[in-house]
């Protein structure tokens, strides 16, 4: 049985629960877990003041339930095991994680998977801004692992990402992949403006939207082709239950290379209308 | 009158010739006093220092801890703030952030926790003096002051060109009064102005500064002369041209010669002691032996080292072209500023890596300076905080100086070429406790002309650090048992016990009032603010003290 942590008393002040990691709670009784101090505003408080706890984490699984939209740092620095959030979650979900798996059935706040180095995050609802991004001042965002968002996502997704994959089923905001160093981002809905600004390397796939995306003037059209590797990626996403339109598997893509303000070895792929 | 006695400690007080004697130190009203004649007299409070090492409080004569450049660096390094341990609020302390550029309150606590009780910010544009004073007021416990940037000041260069030493001297004095500064600082004299007007730099001490018709050599010579004629307590404080470039040792040597016998303090001399071809980093090597010979034989010169320590830090400098150079070398984010008629600024995050031959040589060259200087009274410990590393690295530097085995262990893991390109591997000298006391407190206090700092004689400020001896020298100096400032125990076993303000030291040299109308006329023609708003009002100062000069001129 998993360790089930249920929010009973919502707090208007955000709760930060990064202290609830597997290293800390494995082998503990529910009462022990309740005594774990978590951050509430500028004070520390026992988890049990706000959450009910059942089960154990001995099977390396934690389930968060209740409306955790104001609960931050679930799965931050996760290294192994599985966390499931049955509803919404607040900011910094899985930030700096190095391994393991997080699944969110609802929406996630900003900074999901920020600076993560490995593992996977699946968000079945929407994600906020800056998923997979570098924290302000940081030199690189996510450097490994994957973030799969079935819904929409906000601005600056994959800001300065170094490696790894981000897939977004719905719309994405502005500055997608800004400052990207490497890695892959695929958007299956409409994307905002200025995608790839300042990217050095890496791939951004813009697969949705009714109109062709407007490219920055520092990107150059560089031909059309059918990248085999992309088909492999898309099949893998489809195998994970992610909605990938069948026509994308066989589509021809126009390649834009850039950003020539930086290294210029990045690319944006846009399917050519049949 | 309350008295405090530190009893039975092993005293290292080099200024008074006390070298490891077991004595009591008596304190009354914040000053050290002679022991009472009556051996039975009891103090109001006694600190038992039996078996402990007692030294004057540390004096950092060159660091960057206040003002707009430091604030810009704080804002520029959120990634470092996020991962550095915070300073928590306690009944005696405010909260703060650390990293290579700690917040104001944290800076005071960290210095005090290290046994340092006095620190001087080394580069303040006059226009930023108010901001600096406010930040220093928020830097608790330690006594402090700052040096005023003058090496690229337009009025100074105009007076140098015009051959007007009296006007120059009056302006220097007026500016020190207007800013409540402590000393005159020259940063890349003339070179920053070349950068500001052309994007270039002064590549030699005799390069002309465009539009001004002067050379760095003339600026150094004439300002050093003005400082000496004013009798300021501290010599002109010089950051030479060509910092960090291979082959810059000749510029440094020429700068020393340009002083023409006037007092001069060559700061972070490590960064200016490089041989090689400026266009080829592969030729980088040490030229300490040549430079230290000159310093050893010229009594008018003092230096601080600017030791480089391996790890992440932030370079912040009034040397704008250097900031740009570092930005190109490291490829990291960069901040640059231009302060009107006065100065420039460059800030870049840097990382010194022990796998890098150049960085390893920089580390070794700093240690060569300590170990080859024959007169410890003319060399002060510094990391040019945070440029070479944090001031928190001082205990590690002390350990390296006192333990040749530790130095050799580090050299072993550095690139092999380090052993061929400097003399460090051949240096067996180990500093004694007394020599450490000299380079960390007694010498910098003397260089600064602070007669009540850096010693434990009667009349001295009761700034005292008590260390628990430890086989691990670094740990001993990292965690003083007691730190006393102004006669009050401010740190007890690592905990801050008091958060008093600390005092500002500044100078108030006299000057010829007849020179002011010319300054005013030039000022109103060029500056963005009104002349009457420029000088710092007395109300800006909290606890402060005017330090007398070396003669009646100040």
């Amino acid at each position: 049985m998993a360790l089930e942590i249920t929010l009973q008393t919502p707090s208007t002040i955000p709760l930060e629960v990064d202290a609830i990691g597997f290293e800390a709670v494995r082998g503990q009784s529910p009462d022990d877990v309740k005594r774990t101090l978590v951050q509430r505003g500028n004070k520390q408080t026992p988890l049990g003041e706000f959450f009910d706890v059942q089960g154990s984490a001995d099977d390396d699984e934690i389930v968060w339930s209740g409306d955790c939209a104001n609960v931050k740092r679930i799965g931050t620095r996760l290294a192994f095991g599985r966390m499931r959030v049955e509803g919404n979650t607040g900011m910094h979900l899985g930030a700096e994680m190095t391994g393991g798996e997080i699944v969110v059935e609802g929406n996630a706040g900003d900074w999901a998977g920020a600076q993560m180095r490995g593992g996977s995050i699946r968000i079945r609802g929407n994600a906020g801004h800056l998923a997979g991004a570098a924290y302000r001042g940081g030199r690189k965002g996510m450097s490994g692992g994957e973030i799969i968002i079935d819904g929409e996502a906000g601005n600056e997704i994959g800001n300065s990402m170094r490696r790894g994959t981000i897939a977004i089923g719905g719309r994405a905001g502005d500055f997608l992949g800004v400052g990207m160093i490497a890695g892959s981002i695929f958007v299956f809905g409409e994307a905002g403006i200025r995608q790839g600004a300042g990217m050095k390397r890496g791939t951004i796939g813009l697969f949705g939207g009714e109109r062709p995306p407007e490219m920055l003037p520092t990107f150059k059209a560089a031909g059309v082709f059918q990248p085999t590797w992309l088909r492999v990626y898309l099949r893998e996403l489809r195998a994970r239950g992610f909605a990938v339109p069948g026509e994308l598997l066989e589509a021809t893509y126009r390649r834009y290379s850039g950003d020539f303000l930086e290294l210029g070895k990045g690319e944006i792929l846009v399917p050519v209308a049949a | 009158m309350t008295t405090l006695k530190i009893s039975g400690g092993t005293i290292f007080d080099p200024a008074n010739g006390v070298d490891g004697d077991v004595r009591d130190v008596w304190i009354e009203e914040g000053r050290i006093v002679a022991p009472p004649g009556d051996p039975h007299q009891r103090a109001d409070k006694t600190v038992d220092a039996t078996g402990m090492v007692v030294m004057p409080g540390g004096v950092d004569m060159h660091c960057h801890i206040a003002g707009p450049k430091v604030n810009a660096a704080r804002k520029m390094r959120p990634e470092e703030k996020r991962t550095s341990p915070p300073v928590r609020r306690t009944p005696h302390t405010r909260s703060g952030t650390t990293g290579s550029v700690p917040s104001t309150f944290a800076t005071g606590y960290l210095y005090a926790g290290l046994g340092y009780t006095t620190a001087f910010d080394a580069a303040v544009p006059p226009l930023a003096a108010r901001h600096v004073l406010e930040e220093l007021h928020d830097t608790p416990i330690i006594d402090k002051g700052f040096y005023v940037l003058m090496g690229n000041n337009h009025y100074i260069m105009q007076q140098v060109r015009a051959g007007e030493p009296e006007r120059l001297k009056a302006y220097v004095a007026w500016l020190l009064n207007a800013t409540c500064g402590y000393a005159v600082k020259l940063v890349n004299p003339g070179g920053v102005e070349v950068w500001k007007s052309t994007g270039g730099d002064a590549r030699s001490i005799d390069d002309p500064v465009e539009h001004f018709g002067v050379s760095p050599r003339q600026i150094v010579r004439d300002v050093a002369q003005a400082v000496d004629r004013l009798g300021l307590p501290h010599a002109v404080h010089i950051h030479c041209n060509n910092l960090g470039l291979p082959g810059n040792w000749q510029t440094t040597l020429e700068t020393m010669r340009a002083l023409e016998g006037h007092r001069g303090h060559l700061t972070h001399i490590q960064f200016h002691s490089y041989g090689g071809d400026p266009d080829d980093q592969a030729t980088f090597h040490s030229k300490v032996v040549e430079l230290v010979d000159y310093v050893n034989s010229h009594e008018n010169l003092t230096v601080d080292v600017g030791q480089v320590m391996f790890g992440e830090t932030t370079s912040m400098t009034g040397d704008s072209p250097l900031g740009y150079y570092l930005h190109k070398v490291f490829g990291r984010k960069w901040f640059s500023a231009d302060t009107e008629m006065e100065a420039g600024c460059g800030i870049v995050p840097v990382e010194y890596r022990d796998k890098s031959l150049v960085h390893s040589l920089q580390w070794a060259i700093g240690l060569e300076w300590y170990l080859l200087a024959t007169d410890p009274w003319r060399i002060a410990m510094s990391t040019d905080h945070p440029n070479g590393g944090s001031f928190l690295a001082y205990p590690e530097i002390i350990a390296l100086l006192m333990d040749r085995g530790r130095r050799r262990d580090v050299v072993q893991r550095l690139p092999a070429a380090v052993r061929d390109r400097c003399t460090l591997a051949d240096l067996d000298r180990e500093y004694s406790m007394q020599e450490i006391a000299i380079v960390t407190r007694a010498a910098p206090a003397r260089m600064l002309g602070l007669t009540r700092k850096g010693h434990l004689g009667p009349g001295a400020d009761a700034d005292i650090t008590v260390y628990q001896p430890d086989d691990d020298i670094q740990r001993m100096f990292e965690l003083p048992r007691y730190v006393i400032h102004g006669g009050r125990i401010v740190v007890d076993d690592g905990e801050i016990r008091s958060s008093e303000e600390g005092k500002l030291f500044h100078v108030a040299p006299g000057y010829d009032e007849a020179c002011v109308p010319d300054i005013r006329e030039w000022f109103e023609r060029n500056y963005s603010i009104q002349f009457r708003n420029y000088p710092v009002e007395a109300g800006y100062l909290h606890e402060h003290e005017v330090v007398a000069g070396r003669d009646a001129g100040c």
Side-chain angles (χ1 to χ4, degrees), chain B residues 490-514:
Chain B
V490 290
V491 178
D492 183 348
D493 208 9
E495 289 204 10
I496 302 287
R497 297 289 183 193
S498 163
S499 60
E500 60 207 61
E501 273 185 18
K503 183 187 286 183
L504 177 86
F505 288 113
H506 61 112
V507 294
Y511 55 89
D512 181 1
E513 289 280 352

PDB file of all heavy atoms in Angstrom, chain B residues 490-514:
ATOM      1  N   VAL B 490      31.023  40.063  21.126  1.00  0.00           N
ATOM      2  CA  VAL B 490      30.038  40.046  20.043  1.00  0.00           C
ATOM      3  C   VAL B 490      29.832  38.629  19.492  1.00  0.00           C
ATOM      4  O   VAL B 490      28.793  38.333  18.921  1.00  0.00           O
ATOM      5  CB  VAL B 490      30.430  41.000  18.894  1.00  0.00           C
ATOM      6  CG1 VAL B 490      30.289  42.449  19.340  1.00  0.00           C
ATOM      7  CG2 VAL B 490      31.835  40.730  18.380  1.00  0.00           C
ATOM      8  N   VAL B 491      30.825  37.780  19.650  1.00  0.00           N
ATOM      9  CA  VAL B 491      30.682  36.383  19.227  1.00  0.00           C
ATOM     10  C   VAL B 491      31.178  35.493  20.351  1.00  0.00           C
ATOM     11  O   VAL B 491      32.274  35.687  20.868  1.00  0.00           O
ATOM     12  CB  VAL B 491      31.495  36.086  17.944  1.00  0.00           C
ATOM     13  CG1 VAL B 491      31.361  34.609  17.555  1.00  0.00           C
ATOM     14  CG2 VAL B 491      31.043  36.963  16.794  1.00  0.00           C
ATOM     15  N   ASP B 492      30.330  34.560  20.736  1.00  0.00           N
ATOM     16  CA  ASP B 492      30.695  33.625  21.796  1.00  0.00           C
ATOM     17  C   ASP B 492      30.448  32.222  21.266  1.00  0.00           C
ATOM     18  O   ASP B 492      29.303  31.841  21.028  1.00  0.00           O
ATOM     19  CB  ASP B 492      29.834  33.906  23.040  1.00  0.00           C
ATOM     20  CG  ASP B 492      30.218  33.006  24.208  1.00  0.00           C
ATOM     21  OD1 ASP B 492      30.967  32.033  23.995  1.00  0.00           O
ATOM     22  OD2 ASP B 492      29.754  33.282  25.331  1.00  0.00           O
ATOM     23  N   ASP B 493      31.522  31.489  21.040  1.00  0.00           N
ATOM     24  CA  ASP B 493      31.414  30.116  20.562  1.00  0.00           C
ATOM     25  C   ASP B 493      30.566  30.023  19.287  1.00  0.00           C
ATOM     26  O   ASP B 493      29.681  29.180  19.168  1.00  0.00           O
ATOM     27  CB  ASP B 493      30.800  29.239  21.664  1.00  0.00           C
ATOM     28  CG  ASP B 493      31.289  27.791  21.536  1.00  0.00           C
ATOM     29  OD1 ASP B 493      32.205  27.555  20.729  1.00  0.00           O
ATOM     30  OD2 ASP B 493      30.736  26.928  22.225  1.00  0.00           O
ATOM     31  N   GLY B 494      30.830  30.908  18.373  1.00  0.00           N
ATOM     32  CA  GLY B 494      30.176  30.849  17.065  1.00  0.00           C
ATOM     33  C   GLY B 494      28.839  31.548  16.979  1.00  0.00           C
ATOM     34  O   GLY B 494      28.263  31.651  15.909  1.00  0.00           O
ATOM     35  N   GLU B 495      28.334  32.037  18.115  1.00  0.00           N
ATOM     36  CA  GLU B 495      27.024  32.693  18.081  1.00  0.00           C
ATOM     37  C   GLU B 495      27.167  34.192  18.244  1.00  0.00           C
ATOM     38  O   GLU B 495      27.900  34.666  19.115  1.00  0.00           O
ATOM     39  CB  GLU B 495      26.132  32.159  19.210  1.00  0.00           C
ATOM     40  CG  GLU B 495      25.691  30.744  18.944  1.00  0.00           C
ATOM     41  CD  GLU B 495      24.411  30.400  19.684  1.00  0.00           C
ATOM     42  OE1 GLU B 495      23.776  31.321  20.239  1.00  0.00           O
ATOM     43  OE2 GLU B 495      24.077  29.207  19.704  1.00  0.00           O
ATOM     44  N   ILE B 496      26.442  34.921  17.408  1.00  0.00           N
ATOM     45  CA  ILE B 496      26.446  36.384  17.516  1.00  0.00           C
ATOM     46  C   ILE B 496      25.680  36.769  18.783  1.00  0.00           C
ATOM     47  O   ILE B 496      24.538  36.361  18.981  1.00  0.00           O
ATOM     48  CB  ILE B 496      25.769  37.023  16.288  1.00  0.00           C
ATOM     49  CG1 ILE B 496      26.469  36.591  14.984  1.00  0.00           C
ATOM     50  CG2 ILE B 496      25.733  38.533  16.426  1.00  0.00           C
ATOM     51  CD1 ILE B 496      27.797  37.188  14.721  1.00  0.00           C
ATOM     52  N   ARG B 497      26.337  37.517  19.658  1.00  0.00           N
ATOM     53  CA  ARG B 497      25.717  37.909  20.933  1.00  0.00           C
ATOM     54  C   ARG B 497      25.274  39.359  20.953  1.00  0.00           C
ATOM     55  O   ARG B 497      24.588  39.798  21.879  1.00  0.00           O
ATOM     56  CB  ARG B 497      26.704  37.699  22.079  1.00  0.00           C
ATOM     57  CG  ARG B 497      27.094  36.257  22.274  1.00  0.00           C
ATOM     58  CD  ARG B 497      25.932  35.478  22.840  1.00  0.00           C
ATOM     59  NE  ARG B 497      26.314  34.096  23.112  1.00  0.00           N
ATOM     60  CZ  ARG B 497      25.455  33.143  23.373  1.00  0.00           C
ATOM     61  NH1 ARG B 497      24.166  33.409  23.390  1.00  0.00           N
ATOM     62  NH2 ARG B 497      25.864  31.917  23.608  1.00  0.00           N
ATOM     63  N   SER B 498      25.737  40.112  19.994  1.00  0.00           N
ATOM     64  CA  SER B 498      25.417  41.537  19.992  1.00  0.00           C
ATOM     65  C   SER B 498      25.440  41.995  18.545  1.00  0.00           C
ATOM     66  O   SER B 498      26.220  41.505  17.726  1.00  0.00           O
ATOM     67  CB  SER B 498      26.478  42.282  20.816  1.00  0.00           C
ATOM     68  OG  SER B 498      26.436  43.653  20.516  1.00  0.00           O
ATOM     69  N   SER B 499      24.559  42.915  18.202  1.00  0.00           N
ATOM     70  CA  SER B 499      24.561  43.373  16.811  1.00  0.00           C
ATOM     71  C   SER B 499      24.648  44.895  16.771  1.00  0.00           C
ATOM     72  O   SER B 499      23.802  45.560  16.209  1.00  0.00           O
ATOM     73  CB  SER B 499      23.322  42.881  16.081  1.00  0.00           C
ATOM     74  OG  SER B 499      22.164  43.363  16.704  1.00  0.00           O
ATOM     75  N   GLU B 500      25.664  45.399  17.402  1.00  0.00           N
ATOM     76  CA  GLU B 500      25.879  46.849  17.380  1.00  0.00           C
ATOM     77  C   GLU B 500      26.244  47.317  15.981  1.00  0.00           C
ATOM     78  O   GLU B 500      26.541  46.507  15.098  1.00  0.00           O
ATOM     79  CB  GLU B 500      26.992  47.204  18.360  1.00  0.00           C
ATOM     80  CG  GLU B 500      28.288  46.512  17.994  1.00  0.00           C
ATOM     81  CD  GLU B 500      29.172  46.305  19.214  1.00  0.00           C
ATOM     82  OE1 GLU B 500      28.753  45.620  20.141  1.00  0.00           O
ATOM     83  OE2 GLU B 500      30.263  46.847  19.196  1.00  0.00           O
ATOM     84  N   GLU B 501      26.254  48.629  15.810  1.00  0.00           N
ATOM     85  CA  GLU B 501      26.414  49.182  14.465  1.00  0.00           C
ATOM     86  C   GLU B 501      27.822  49.091  13.910  1.00  0.00           C
ATOM     87  O   GLU B 501      28.024  48.821  12.748  1.00  0.00           O
ATOM     88  CB  GLU B 501      26.040  50.668  14.483  1.00  0.00           C
ATOM     89  CG  GLU B 501      24.571  50.919  14.267  1.00  0.00           C
ATOM     90  CD  GLU B 501      24.286  52.390  14.175  1.00  0.00           C
ATOM     91  OE1 GLU B 501      25.222  53.177  13.943  1.00  0.00           O
ATOM     92  OE2 GLU B 501      23.126  52.754  14.358  1.00  0.00           O
ATOM     93  N   GLY B 502      28.781  49.339  14.712  1.00  0.00           N
ATOM     94  CA  GLY B 502      30.128  49.516  14.184  1.00  0.00           C
ATOM     95  C   GLY B 502      30.304  50.957  13.730  1.00  0.00           C
ATOM     96  O   GLY B 502      29.343  51.681  13.488  1.00  0.00           O
ATOM     97  N   LYS B 503      31.543  51.349  13.607  1.00  0.00           N
ATOM     98  CA  LYS B 503      31.858  52.768  13.384  1.00  0.00           C
ATOM     99  C   LYS B 503      32.398  52.987  11.977  1.00  0.00           C
ATOM    100  O   LYS B 503      33.053  52.118  11.406  1.00  0.00           O
ATOM    101  CB  LYS B 503      32.931  53.158  14.411  1.00  0.00           C
ATOM    102  CG  LYS B 503      33.330  54.608  14.391  1.00  0.00           C
ATOM    103  CD  LYS B 503      34.503  54.843  15.324  1.00  0.00           C
ATOM    104  CE  LYS B 503      34.081  54.793  16.782  1.00  0.00           C
ATOM    105  NZ  LYS B 503      35.218  55.093  17.678  1.00  0.00           N
ATOM    106  N   LEU B 504      32.111  54.179  11.438  1.00  0.00           N
ATOM    107  CA  LEU B 504      32.690  54.564  10.137  1.00  0.00           C
ATOM    108  C   LEU B 504      33.954  55.377  10.385  1.00  0.00           C
ATOM    109  O   LEU B 504      33.932  56.343  11.164  1.00  0.00           O
ATOM    110  CB  LEU B 504      31.703  55.401   9.343  1.00  0.00           C
ATOM    111  CG  LEU B 504      32.262  55.908   8.017  1.00  0.00           C
ATOM    112  CD1 LEU B 504      32.071  54.873   6.924  1.00  0.00           C
ATOM    113  CD2 LEU B 504      31.665  57.242   7.616  1.00  0.00           C
ATOM    114  N   PHE B 505      35.025  55.016   9.730  1.00  0.00           N
ATOM    115  CA  PHE B 505      36.243  55.820   9.747  1.00  0.00           C
ATOM    116  C   PHE B 505      36.339  56.614   8.448  1.00  0.00           C
ATOM    117  O   PHE B 505      36.155  56.059   7.362  1.00  0.00           O
ATOM    118  CB  PHE B 505      37.487  54.930   9.885  1.00  0.00           C
ATOM    119  CG  PHE B 505      37.643  54.329  11.248  1.00  0.00           C
ATOM    120  CD1 PHE B 505      37.530  52.964  11.438  1.00  0.00           C
ATOM    121  CD2 PHE B 505      37.904  55.145  12.340  1.00  0.00           C
ATOM    122  CE1 PHE B 505      37.664  52.414  12.703  1.00  0.00           C
ATOM    123  CE2 PHE B 505      38.043  54.598  13.610  1.00  0.00           C
ATOM    124  CZ  PHE B 505      37.916  53.229  13.797  1.00  0.00           C
ATOM    125  N   HIS B 506      36.620  57.900   8.576  1.00  0.00           N
ATOM    126  CA  HIS B 506      36.821  58.713   7.380  1.00  0.00           C
ATOM    127  C   HIS B 506      37.855  59.775   7.680  1.00  0.00           C
ATOM    128  O   HIS B 506      38.310  59.935   8.812  1.00  0.00           O
ATOM    129  CB  HIS B 506      35.499  59.311   6.884  1.00  0.00           C
ATOM    130  CG  HIS B 506      34.808  60.222   7.850  1.00  0.00           C
ATOM    131  ND1 HIS B 506      34.677  61.580   7.638  1.00  0.00           N
ATOM    132  CD2 HIS B 506      34.206  59.983   9.040  1.00  0.00           C
ATOM    133  CE1 HIS B 506      34.010  62.121   8.650  1.00  0.00           C
ATOM    134  NE2 HIS B 506      33.713  61.175   9.514  1.00  0.00           N
ATOM    135  N   VAL B 507      38.253  60.480   6.631  1.00  0.00           N
ATOM    136  CA  VAL B 507      39.252  61.529   6.807  1.00  0.00           C
ATOM    137  C   VAL B 507      38.630  62.883   6.450  1.00  0.00           C
ATOM    138  O   VAL B 507      37.609  62.945   5.764  1.00  0.00           O
ATOM    139  CB  VAL B 507      40.502  61.284   5.934  1.00  0.00           C
ATOM    140  CG1 VAL B 507      41.240  60.037   6.387  1.00  0.00           C
ATOM    141  CG2 VAL B 507      40.137  61.196   4.462  1.00  0.00           C
ATOM    142  N   ALA B 508      39.242  63.930   6.922  1.00  0.00           N
ATOM    143  CA  ALA B 508      38.742  65.289   6.633  1.00  0.00           C
ATOM    144  C   ALA B 508      39.932  66.218   6.415  1.00  0.00           C
ATOM    145  O   ALA B 508      40.173  67.147   7.216  1.00  0.00           O
ATOM    146  CB  ALA B 508      37.856  65.768   7.786  1.00  0.00           C
ATOM    147  N   PRO B 509      40.679  65.968   5.351  1.00  0.00           N
ATOM    148  CA  PRO B 509      41.863  66.812   5.128  1.00  0.00           C
ATOM    149  C   PRO B 509      41.468  68.248   4.794  1.00  0.00           C
ATOM    150  O   PRO B 509      40.446  68.502   4.161  1.00  0.00           O
ATOM    151  CB  PRO B 509      42.544  66.124   3.937  1.00  0.00           C
ATOM    152  CG  PRO B 509      41.451  65.386   3.237  1.00  0.00           C
ATOM    153  CD  PRO B 509      40.487  64.970   4.294  1.00  0.00           C
ATOM    154  N   GLY B 510      42.306  69.161   5.213  1.00  0.00           N
ATOM    155  CA  GLY B 510      42.053  70.560   4.883  1.00  0.00           C
ATOM    156  C   GLY B 510      42.395  70.839   3.425  1.00  0.00           C
ATOM    157  O   GLY B 510      43.161  70.104   2.805  1.00  0.00           O
ATOM    158  N   TYR B 511      41.794  71.904   2.877  1.00  0.00           N
ATOM    159  CA  TYR B 511      42.088  72.272   1.483  1.00  0.00           C
ATOM    160  C   TYR B 511      41.862  73.766   1.313  1.00  0.00           C
ATOM    161  O   TYR B 511      41.218  74.421   2.140  1.00  0.00           O
ATOM    162  CB  TYR B 511      41.228  71.473   0.503  1.00  0.00           C
ATOM    163  CG  TYR B 511      39.745  71.572   0.739  1.00  0.00           C
ATOM    164  CD1 TYR B 511      38.984  72.573   0.142  1.00  0.00           C
ATOM    165  CD2 TYR B 511      39.101  70.656   1.570  1.00  0.00           C
ATOM    166  CE1 TYR B 511      37.623  72.664   0.361  1.00  0.00           C
ATOM    167  CE2 TYR B 511      37.751  70.732   1.803  1.00  0.00           C
ATOM    168  CZ  TYR B 511      37.008  71.737   1.195  1.00  0.00           C
ATOM    169  OH  TYR B 511      35.663  71.824   1.426  1.00  0.00           O
ATOM    170  N   ASP B 512      42.383  74.275   0.236  1.00  0.00           N
ATOM    171  CA  ASP B 512      42.288  75.701  -0.052  1.00  0.00           C
ATOM    172  C   ASP B 512      40.900  76.013  -0.619  1.00  0.00           C
ATOM    173  O   ASP B 512      40.568  75.621  -1.744  1.00  0.00           O
ATOM    174  CB  ASP B 512      43.388  76.057  -1.070  1.00  0.00           C
ATOM    175  CG  ASP B 512      43.378  77.542  -1.410  1.00  0.00           C
ATOM    176  OD1 ASP B 512      42.532  78.279  -0.841  1.00  0.00           O
ATOM    177  OD2 ASP B 512      44.206  77.951  -2.243  1.00  0.00           O
ATOM    178  N   GLU B 513      40.085  76.733   0.151  1.00  0.00           N
ATOM    179  CA  GLU B 513      38.713  77.037  -0.267  1.00  0.00           C
ATOM    180  C   GLU B 513      38.676  77.813  -1.579  1.00  0.00           C
ATOM    181  O   GLU B 513      37.676  77.767  -2.317  1.00  0.00           O
ATOM    182  CB  GLU B 513      38.002  77.855   0.827  1.00  0.00           C
ATOM    183  CG  GLU B 513      37.673  77.069   2.089  1.00  0.00           C
ATOM    184  CD  GLU B 513      36.422  76.211   1.929  1.00  0.00           C
ATOM    185  OE1 GLU B 513      35.740  76.348   0.899  1.00  0.00           O
ATOM    186  OE2 GLU B 513      36.165  75.388   2.834  1.00  0.00           O
ATOM    187  N   ALA B 514      39.772  78.481  -1.869  1.00  0.00           N
ATOM    188  CA  ALA B 514      39.806  79.293  -3.102  1.00  0.00           C
ATOM    189  C   ALA B 514      39.728  78.413  -4.345  1.00  0.00           C
ATOM    190  O   ALA B 514      39.419  78.894  -5.438  1.00  0.00           O
ATOM    191  CB  ALA B 514      41.082  80.129  -3.128  1.00  0.00           C
TER     192      ALA B 514
END
